[in-house]
Amino acid sequence: VLFTMADVTKHSVHTLVFRSLKRTHDMFLTEEGALPQEDAAAKKMRECCKMEEYAQVKDMPQLTKAADVSEGKGVDVSTGAKASSGLHPGAEQLTAQSQALAIPNGAAAAAPARNALVSSGTTGGERGALVPRKPLTLPKPKWHPPWKLMRVISGHLGWVRCIAFDPSNQWFVTGSSDRMIKIWDLATGKLRLSLTGHISAIRGLAVSARQPYLFSCGEDKTVKCWDLEQNKVIRSYHGHLSAVYGISLHPTIDVLVTCGRDATGRVWDMRTKACIHTLTGHTDTVSSVICQAADPQVITASHDSTIRLWDLAAGKTRVTLTNHKKSVRAICVHPNEFSFASASPDNIKQWKFPDGNFLQNLTGHNAIVNTLSCNADGVLVSGADNGTMNLWDYRTGYNFQRMQAVAQPGSLDSETGIYASAFDLSGCRLLTCEADKTIKVYKEDDTATEETHPISWRPEILKRKRY
């Protein structure tokens, strides 16, 4: 019989699909609940693997009161005493066996009963049980004495934007919006020297520990090298396309790294003035840069809310950290631990080198944080645009002191911003650079004790965020 196209009934795709589904269902309906035949070789291999995996706990312990279980009376497996129960005998036996997880002889049989998850009895032939995992608890913070204002140093005619210390810890240097670099005596706070040469605000300073050189950078797009034996500029490093906001010297090789508003970091050869690498990748102003001897040797923070760890040899990004939600304006490395902290208006975060693993959040400084500093004693200081300064225990993230900077007489109350901070090399003095044109020196309160200033620590309230 021949059929023409006119004889074939046309159906929609929807109808045809559901017809196919119905035919498939009818075909396999009889075998719907049947499992496929088990492969004996695969089953044996799986059992062998499981026996190796659970070799330590594969043997179930013998119940001490088998007769009591068979009579329908429960056994309290934690004490060996009888306990009445409404369960039938088989259910009680399964319950008792499921609670007692044994460990073979010699593995952990001597575990004390007070630490045991379930003790399987008191007789000599019985085996100890697994020790429970302790719940996660926050470590108790170390006590730090509070810090107090010791001295206020005036002399600049503009906002004080940056600070650096001499490797001998005898003097420090500050840079300001008045285009002046001033060198001060650390012990007395008296002015030793003023250097002029920049034509705009100075934003970064670094003192070399290897040569008698001072490096400065500013909003005039220049980076200058000063010879402190002659007190004059001996080199200039040209290449930045906009203001230079940060500078850092490598501790072991003659290299300096700068960063700025052109969204790049630049690696310079100190002697030849050549730009070795241009570190590109950030999409906004690079606000801060730090160098260290171990990899990653360069760390940059940017207003694009990212932090980048760089491979200095290749001049490429090694890791990009994107956890911050707002501009990252400051970073600092811990002097002893292999970790660093970064500051943003949303949070202060701590990270672990070399891969930038996230450690914890330090929450509570709700302001635009411009500067971070840390000393070897584990005191982390964050200073903000509104003049607030928080002091933290680095290890636990506990905020043990909050301070509000007071504007110098004659200044507006709005001029209390903290732009830079640094500990001296001993870690006993903290210096802050502020918008009221002063440098403030803080020290620990020698009269404070743990009794007069106790730690107000509430671990049930302090919850760590995971991101």
Side-chain angles (χ1 to χ4, degrees):
V1 179
L2 297 174
F3 292 98
T4 62
M5 291 299 294
D7 298 328
V8 178
T9 306
K10 293 184 178 180
H11 294 285
S12 66
V13 175
H14 189 268
T15 305
L16 294 172
V17 168
F18 273 91
R19 278 189 180 178
S20 176
L21 285 173
K22 186 175 184 304
R23 289 195 191 103
T24 306
H25 178 266
D26 293 342
M27 183 182 298
F28 294 105
L29 182 62
T30 56
E31 300 177 358
E32 185 179 4
L35 295 173
Q37 188 175 0
E38 191 167 26
D39 187 356
K43 181 181 178 183
K44 186 176 180 181
M45 185 180 296
R46 186 172 67 252
E47 287 177 352
C48 290
C49 293
K50 290 294 181 184
M51 285 178 70
E52 290 180 7
E53 186 176 348
Y54 295 103
Q56 297 289 324
V57 292
K58 67 176 182 174
D59 298 322
M60 299 299 293
Q62 296 295 325
L63 291 174
T64 56
K65 304 287 184 180
D68 290 336
V69 173
S70 63
E71 290 172 7
K73 298 176 182 178
V75 176
D76 187 350
V77 292
S78 63
T79 60
K82 296 180 183 179
S84 61
S85 173
L87 297 175
H88 59 82
E92 283 200 343
Q93 186 171 0
L94 288 173
T95 305
Q97 287 185 352
S98 65
Q99 286 180 332
L101 188 59
I103 298 176
N105 289 331
R114 61 186 176 85
N115 289 336
L117 183 64
V118 177
S119 174
S120 58
T122 57
T123 61
E126 292 160 7
R127 299 162 179 169
L130 292 177
V131 178
R133 183 179 179 181
K134 290 184 179 179
L136 181 65
T137 56
L138 295 179
K140 188 174 181 180
K142 177 185 175 183
W143 182 81
H144 298 281
W147 291 67
K148 63 180 183 180
L149 183 63
M150 169 188 164
R151 180 181 289 136
V152 178
I153 301 172
S154 301
H156 278 292
L157 302 177
W159 295 346
V160 189
R161 301 304 300 251
C162 50
I163 185 170
F165 278 92
D166 159 46
S168 66
N169 210 37
Q170 294 180 348
W171 51 267
F172 65 94
V173 56
T174 55
S176 168
S177 297
D178 62 6
R179 309 185 300 279
M180 298 275 283
I181 298 171
K182 290 183 181 287
I183 296 176
W184 311 83
D185 187 272
L186 180 59
T188 62
K190 292 182 178 178
L191 181 64
R192 281 191 177 184
L193 185 67
S194 293
L195 300 172
T196 57
H198 282 278
I199 59 171
S200 191
I202 297 157
R203 298 295 296 268
L205 291 167
V207 184
S208 174
R210 296 157 58 87
Q211 295 99 358
Y213 293 160
L214 165 68
F215 294 87
S216 63
C217 63
E219 293 177 4
D220 54 8
K221 310 179 190 176
T222 63
V223 181
K224 295 182 184 294
C225 173
W226 304 77
D227 188 331
L228 294 176
E229 293 174 343
Q230 305 176 53
N231 295 335
K232 66 178 185 181
V233 177
I234 58 170
R235 296 188 192 98
S236 291
Y237 304 86
H238 297 282
H240 276 285
L241 306 177
S242 191
V244 190
Y245 283 172
I247 187 168
S248 181
L249 301 181
H250 196 283
T252 57
I253 56 178
D254 291 338
V255 154
L256 67 139
V257 184
T258 56
C259 64
R261 223 178 79 185
D262 57 3
T264 65
R266 293 179 188 266
V267 183
W268 309 88
D269 186 300
M270 196 179 286
R271 289 167 293 187
T272 65
K273 302 183 285 185
C275 183
I276 303 167
H277 291 302
T278 301
L279 308 177
T280 57
H282 286 293
T283 57
D284 205 341
T285 302
V286 184
S287 56
S288 184
V289 62
I290 286 181
C291 291
Q292 61 177 5
D295 284 328
Q297 296 179 57
V298 179
I299 307 103
T300 57
S302 171
H303 288 192
D304 63 8
S305 74
T306 66
I307 300 160
R308 286 178 181 256
L309 314 182
W310 299 86
D311 182 343
L312 182 59
K316 295 180 180 178
T317 303
R318 179 173 173 171
V319 180
T320 304
L321 307 175
T322 59
N323 299 43
H324 280 290
K325 299 178 181 66
K326 294 186 179 181
S327 301
V328 187
R329 289 173 177 256
I331 49 177
C332 79
V333 174
H334 192 283
N336 299 331
E337 293 182 14
F338 201 43
S339 63
F340 74 103
S342 59
S344 175
D346 57 357
N347 269 315
I348 297 171
K349 296 181 185 291
Q350 290 179 353
W351 315 85
K352 187 174 178 59
F353 289 127
D355 299 321
N357 299 321
F358 174 74
L359 292 176
Q360 65 178 348
N361 275 332
L362 280 63
T363 55
H365 202 170
N366 300 316
I368 299 172
V369 181
N370 288 322
T371 176
L372 280 180
S373 300
C374 185
N375 68 2
D377 198 32
V379 177
L380 179 70
V381 176
S382 56
D385 248 4
N386 58 2
T388 57
M389 187 165 68
N390 285 14
L391 287 86
W392 313 79
D393 177 43
Y394 187 90
R395 188 175 66 91
T396 61
Y398 169 67
N399 183 199
F400 69 88
Q401 188 179 4
R402 297 186 181 189
M403 305 172 74
Q404 172 68 48
V406 180
Q408 166 177 231
S411 298
L412 301 174
D413 288 338
S414 58
E415 290 184 326
T416 55
I418 301 172
Y419 289 124
S421 66
F423 285 96
D424 72 344
L425 271 62
S426 68
C428 299
R429 296 287 182 272
L430 169 66
L431 279 73
T432 60
C433 304
E434 306 198 2
D436 62 356
K437 308 170 189 173
T438 65
I439 302 132
K440 293 187 171 70
V441 184
Y442 295 86
K443 69 172 183 177
E444 291 180 342
D445 188 351
D446 299 331
T447 61
T449 63
E450 293 192 49
E451 287 73 29
T452 59
H453 295 79
I455 295 175
S456 175
W457 186 59
R458 299 185 298 277
E460 69 277 4
I461 296 174
L462 301 172
K463 302 293 184 185
R464 289 189 187 179
K465 290 184 181 178
R466 295 300 300 168
Y467 53 88

